[in-house]
Amino acid sequence: MNEFLLIFRRDLQSSEMQPSPEQLQNMMKKWQNWMGGIAARNKLVSSGNRLSNEGKVVKPGDVVTNGPYVEIKELIGGYIMISAESLEEAAEISKGCPILTVGGSVEVRAVIPMGT
Amino acid sequence: MKENELLPHLFRTEYRKIISVLVRHYGFEQLSVAEDIASDTFLIAAETWGIKGLPEHPVAWLYTVAKNKSRDLLRRNAVFNEKLRPALKAELLANPETDIDLSEENIKDSQLQMMFALSDPVLSIESQVALTLRILCGFGIDEIADAFLTNRETINKRLFRGKEKLRTAHIKIGLPAAEEINKRIDAVLTSLYLLFNEGYYSSSQNSVLRKDFCLEAMRLTGLLVENEQTNNPRVDALFALMCFHASRFDARTNENGEIIRYDDQNTELWNDELISTGHYYLNKASRGKELSRFHLEAGIAYWHTTKNDSREKWENILQLYNQLLCISYSPVGALNRTYALSRIYGKQAAILEAEKLGLAKNHLYHVLLGWLYTGVDQDKAKEHLNQALIYAKTETERIGIRKELAQV
């Protein structure tokens, strides 16, 4: 089994939409079901974290700018770690991610194993 | 209680107390001496009571005999003097006449301390449960073997290895320091949780014995609940979990000891008193921010005690299983989650999820798929139930599966 980092990106535009409480509730359920489904296969390595929209970018020469980040069109909303046989399987698992239903994307990255 | 039931009953309740107090007094180095004294006490009781009839205060009688026996050993037994005396605790040497303290308070303390000692991480989980059953619950070797679906030799080996470990690792009987308790108590809770599950989920057909295991686990957890030093939200949550589960005890097996599926249980047989006790402790467990696996499992068990089969019920159960699996995976949890999912999103959706679980060698996986395919694809249903027969471990399990097969 190899480990993969799934990075969730969301278009800043879509985050300006004002969802109803029902939609929010529904969205939360979708996330819980998706994560629960990965955990039920014993493939959830870490529930990771959700990231707030606030942030700063630090550049050489003491340059600190506030987010949003002009270089990347989409904002990183969070990440989890999973285990899978292959990059293909990890990508297959990612297809169920609810971020895709609101115009976001999942970046799948293999973790380089340490100490081998 | 009938006269002939009294001695076995007292053995169950008093044997462990005597042992705990003696071990607290002499240390784990003398565990076998403590066991001898306790066993001897009951042998003498069986003989004496058999001849002379019951004493007025049987429990006090037992304590007096146990005290005298240990004092005699101290005074007279040469082997004991040579072997034990050098190892005795300093305070005891200073005052060799120190009486064995069988007061109610000391008994409680000793049992609490014993619980921590028997859950020491140096012991294997198997040894922890076997030792707890033997020393703290007073179950016989045959009974323990029966529950684990194994034989005397295996249990004896586990107990022997456990006792050797207790001795060689110099495990001290005693409550850990206050700041240590919070760390160590999880091992104690896990051990009690396993003990309860051993009774609740064992495939042994001896349903009386299985219920006893559960009640013992609840009694010991109750000691942790009552004690200010050991009580915390996780303890309350575990106790609530046990109450909710135990409330369905009489409804979940038939007269042959076979498991009755949740949907087919007679809800009239659910025990309302235990359900409301469970509510009380689950509420109490909700103080603070902690959300342990016991909280989640107690929440799941709570929803299972609600009789109204609403969508809300299964939505809550599903979300709790989702959370539980994210912090602690188990194949049974994964299968139960999939069942809950089927109750909300239908069998087809659940089949897709189930087939991803990667549990093809687990008979319960095939039982679940057998159920999910029933009414969807009968051939597939039969195929899975036949697979389940191959992987089932006990005859009781196979009987249940054959019944399902007959219905497909």
Side-chain angles (χ1 to χ4, degrees), chain B residues 356-375:
Chain B
K356 291 183 201 157
L357 294 180
L359 294 170
K361 287 185 174 152
N362 184 319
H363 74 281
L364 293 172
Y365 166 81
H366 293 290
V367 171
L368 175 69
L369 272 167
W371 181 81
L372 289 173
Y373 271 117
T374 303

Side-chain angles (χ1 to χ4, degrees), chain B residues 295-313:
Chain B
H295 285 82
L296 295 168
E297 288 195 53
I300 292 166
Y302 158 73
W303 281 103
H304 276 90
T305 63
T306 58
K307 295 179 183 176
N308 186 5
D309 221 15
S310 63
R311 189 184 168 97
E312 185 203 8
K313 167 175 169 175

Side-chain angles (χ1 to χ4, degrees), chain B residues 25 29 129 181 210 214 246 299 310 408:
Chain B
H25 202 76
E29 290 75 13
V129 176
I181 287 183
R210 287 178 11 203
C214 293
S310 63
V408 173

Side-chain angles (χ1 to χ4, degrees), chain A residues 26 28-47 89 93, chain B residues 311 315 318-319 321-323 325-327 329-330 333-334 337-338 341 345 353 356-359:
Chain A
N26 216 4
M28 199 176 87
K29 212 170 2 183
K30 278 189 193 162
W31 276 100
Q32 286 178 328
N33 284 343
W34 182 62
M35 300 260 291
I38 298 170
R41 296 152 80 174
N42 203 11
K43 290 191 169 172
L44 187 71
V45 177
S46 156
S47 311
E89 194 199 347
I93 290 173
Chain B
R311 189 184 168 97
E315 288 270 14
L318 175 62
Q319 293 319 332
Y321 269 122
N322 281 337
Q323 291 182 60
L325 286 163
C326 285
I327 62 170
Y329 169 82
S330 70
R337 169 191 181 267
T338 312
L341 195 106
Y345 300 105
E353 285 282 303
K356 291 183 201 157
L357 294 180
L359 294 170

Side-chain angles (χ1 to χ4, degrees), chain B residues 378-405:
Chain B
Q378 300 304 94
D379 288 340
K380 280 259 191 190
K382 277 183 204 155
E383 209 177 286
H384 277 293
L385 288 171
N386 279 316
Q387 286 282 308
L389 276 179
I390 295 171
Y391 293 111
K393 286 182 211 76
T394 67
E395 197 45 38
T396 322
E397 288 165 358
R398 279 187 281 268
I399 290 170
I401 297 165
R402 282 195 203 99
K403 270 189 189 164
E404 306 265 323
L405 253 178

Side-chain angles (χ1 to χ4, degrees), chain B residues 193-229:
Chain B
Y193 174 77
L194 290 172
L195 172 59
F196 186 90
N197 285 356
E198 199 52 53
Y200 207 70
Y201 298 109
S202 157
S203 333
S204 160
Q205 270 169 288
N206 188 339
S207 54
V208 177
L209 175 63
R210 287 178 11 203
K211 195 172 177 178
D212 275 354
F213 275 32
C214 293
L215 294 178
E216 280 299 315
M218 290 177 79
R219 183 185 63 79
L220 293 173
T221 311
L223 288 178
L224 298 173
V225 167
E226 281 170 23
N227 187 296
E228 255 179 52
Q229 281 175 284

